[in-house]
């Protein structure tokens, strides 16, 4: 009997310890993530990352998928407002159409954090975005290196394939890239947009330009899925890996695959994991409506800049260059291995 009693007391003690440990700590509440779609790897990986990082800092993440439909996301926002969560994370299907829903949530006392798809036309409580102009800077630096290695100087002909010109993401990358390249008079840049970000449009552009400008040294596309189409056009013209240099941006798995196959030289990553980690790091500040101090913050090892803009606190996170030398590092989201180390709230 004594042995049984001792065993029971021991079990109760273990249970008490377990339920007071961080893993069993009471949740600080629910935060809803309004994801625009789950049709691409960036979005599906963002869900995993946000849920993981919010759990690190004590919140339960609930994800609602809008299937890329504005009316569905508007309806979801209305439903979530009635549930009165601690906060809402919004990646808008349509920047302008979701502003009234965002304003309604904030009027109800629910903070709104903007993830990835920046909204500047109305105030929000925190924004975590990639430094898109900076992605252009990084791409320019890598392209200068590649041209110098191949030709002995920063000179040659570059075909730049943008995404849709209505998207600020691609326009910012173009701005940063061309700003850093303008000092090199020996470089000619041909810039053409792939409308609607359609890969087939990018493939046609590359095929046509290889005929019109057979001396193209390097192709710079603004998304990895456009690089796939570019490679298909290169192959159709009888080109082999390395004949024409290729640089892309956003860091998707297909881009990393092209590096491994020798077709692509550099992929400039959009820092998905860091963008998600930043949401969690600043969640307590947002939920408790605490002041955020502008300055530099390290987010998963990336020096990121917090500024206070007219639309609210805005954290801009730089991208990093992926090459054959560092491609297997798990910090790059294209390897689909989210960091396991917990993030900590900003104090």
């Amino acid at each position: 009997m004594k042995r049984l009693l001792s065993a029971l007391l021991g079990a109760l003690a273990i249970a008490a310890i377990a339920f007071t440990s961080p893993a069993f700590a009471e949740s600080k509440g629910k935060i809803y993530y309004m994801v625009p779609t789950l049709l691409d790897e960036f979005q599906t990986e963002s869900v995993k990352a946000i849920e993981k990082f919010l759990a690190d800092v004590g919140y339960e993440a609930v994800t609602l998928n809008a299937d890329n439909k504005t009316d569905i996301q508007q309806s979801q926002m209305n439903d979530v407002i009635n549930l009165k969560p601690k906060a809402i994370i919004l990646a808008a299907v349509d920047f302008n159409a979701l502003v009234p829903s965002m304003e309604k949530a904030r009027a109800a006392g629910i903070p709104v954090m903007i993830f990835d798809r920046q909204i500047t036309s109305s105030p929000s409580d925190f924004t975590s975005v990639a430094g898109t102009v900076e992605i252009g800077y990084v791409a320019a630096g890598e392209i200068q290196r590649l041209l110098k290695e191949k030709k002995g100087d920063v000179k040659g002909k570059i075909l730049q394939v943008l995404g849709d010109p209505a998207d600020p993401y691609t326009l910012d990358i173009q701005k940063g890239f061309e700003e850093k390249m303008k000092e090199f008079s020996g470089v000619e840049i041909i810039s053409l947009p792939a409308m609607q970000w359609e890969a087939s449009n990018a493939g046609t552009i590359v095929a046509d330009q290889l005929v019109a400008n057979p001396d193209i040294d390097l192709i710079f596309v603004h998304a990895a899925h456009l690089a796939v189409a570019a490679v298909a056009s290169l192959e159709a013209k009888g080109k082999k890996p390395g004949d024409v240099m290729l640089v892309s941006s956003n860091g998707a798995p297909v881009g990393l695959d092209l590096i491994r196959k020798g077709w692509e030289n550099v992929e400039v990553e959009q820092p998905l994991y860091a963008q998600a980690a930043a949401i969690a790091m600043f969640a307590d500040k947002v939920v408790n409506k605490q002041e955020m101090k502008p300055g530099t913050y390290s987010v998963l090892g990336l020096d990121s800049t917090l500024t206070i803009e007219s639309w609210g606190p805005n954290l801009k996170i730089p991208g990093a260059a992926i090459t054959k030398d560092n491609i297997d590092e798990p910090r790059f989201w294209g390897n689909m291995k989210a960091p396991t180390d917990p993030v900590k709230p900003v104090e």
Side-chain angles (χ1 to χ4, degrees):
M1 186 68 179
K2 287 182 178 179
R3 190 177 302 164
L4 177 60
L5 181 60
S6 297
L8 286 171
L9 290 172
L12 288 171
I14 292 170
I17 293 171
F19 278 95
T20 56
S21 70
F24 289 87
E26 185 177 351
S27 170
K28 296 176 183 176
K30 292 181 179 180
I31 294 179
Y32 279 77
Y33 175 34
M34 320 302 289
V35 67
T37 179
L38 293 177
L39 292 178
D40 65 76
E41 291 152 321
F42 183 93
Q43 302 300 344
T44 56
E45 199 65 11
S46 76
V47 171
K48 296 177 189 176
I50 285 175
E51 290 178 352
K52 185 269 180 194
F53 290 131
L54 281 178
D56 287 345
V57 295
Y59 294 94
E60 178 186 351
V62 181
T63 301
L64 296 180
N65 171 28
D67 285 324
N68 222 23
K69 297 176 181 175
T70 300
D71 60 335
I72 289 179
Q73 194 167 60
Q74 289 170 324
S75 178
Q76 289 172 340
M77 284 287 287
N78 286 332
D79 292 342
V80 169
I81 290 168
N82 291 332
L83 295 174
K84 301 187 182 302
K86 291 295 183 179
I88 293 172
I89 302 166
L90 175 63
V93 173
D94 183 301
F95 302 91
N96 295 319
L98 266 297
V99 165
S101 299
M102 183 174 75
E103 292 175 344
K104 181 179 178 181
R106 298 186 75 242
I110 303 168
V112 176
M113 294 184 275
I114 303 300
F115 176 75
D116 187 49
R117 301 186 174 195
Q118 190 176 49
I119 295 175
T120 62
S121 59
S122 185
S124 57
D125 296 277
F126 180 72
T127 296
S128 176
V129 292
T132 43
V133 172
E134 288 77 8
I135 287 175
Y137 292 163
V138 174
E142 290 297 307
I143 287 170
Q144 290 165 22
R145 174 182 64 81
L146 291 169
L147 289 173
K148 191 168 185 178
E149 288 175 357
K150 181 178 181 179
K151 311 191 76 168
D153 198 359
V154 182
K155 61 183 180 180
K157 187 174 290 187
I158 298 171
L159 171 61
Q160 178 180 211
V161 182
L162 286 69
D164 195 283
D167 189 340
Y169 176 86
T170 195
L171 297 179
D172 282 353
I173 291 175
Q174 180 187 22
K175 177 183 177 182
F177 172 63
E178 294 181 0
E179 179 183 327
K180 292 295 184 181
M181 295 301 295
K182 64 183 179 182
E183 65 181 274
F184 300 100
S185 58
V187 173
E188 178 185 352
I189 301 174
I190 303 165
S191 299
L192 296 167
M195 303 302 292
Q196 286 82 50
W197 288 95
E198 281 288 340
S200 59
N201 292 336
T204 300
I205 289 169
V206 172
D208 290 346
Q209 288 302 311
L210 288 172
V211 173
N213 295 281
D215 56 341
I216 288 172
D217 294 292
L218 185 145
I219 300 170
F220 173 37
V221 297
H222 287 193
H225 73 286
L226 303 183
V228 175
V231 167
S233 294
L234 287 168
E235 284 188 296
K237 296 294 182 183
K239 303 290 186 182
K240 292 181 173 54
D243 287 349
V244 178
M245 294 181 289
L246 181 62
V247 174
S248 177
S249 65
N250 89 335
V254 290
L256 274 60
D257 186 51
L258 290 176
I259 293 176
R260 292 185 172 105
K261 290 177 177 177
W263 280 105
E264 190 173 320
N265 300 82
V266 178
E267 181 79 26
V268 182
E269 186 197 41
Q270 181 181 355
L272 184 158
Y273 290 146
Q275 288 177 244
I279 289 285
M281 289 169 59
F282 285 88
D284 281 349
K285 294 280 189 186
V286 170
V287 168
N288 298 318
K289 298 179 172 56
Q290 296 174 343
E291 181 185 2
M292 298 183 199
K293 296 180 180 179
T296 301
Y297 294 81
S298 179
V299 183
L300 299 186
L302 296 173
D303 287 337
S304 309
T305 304
L306 180 71
T307 56
I308 308 302
E309 306 292 345
S310 58
W311 58 89
N314 189 91
L315 188 73
K316 186 184 289 187
I317 305 172
I322 305 171
T323 68
K324 64 181 180 180
D325 295 325
N326 65 0
I327 191 170
D328 294 322
E329 294 181 14
R331 65 188 173 111
F332 299 127
W333 76 266
N335 286 315
M336 309 293 275
K337 297 176 182 177
T340 56
D341 291 342
V343 299
K344 296 180 180 179
V346 172
E347 295 181 358

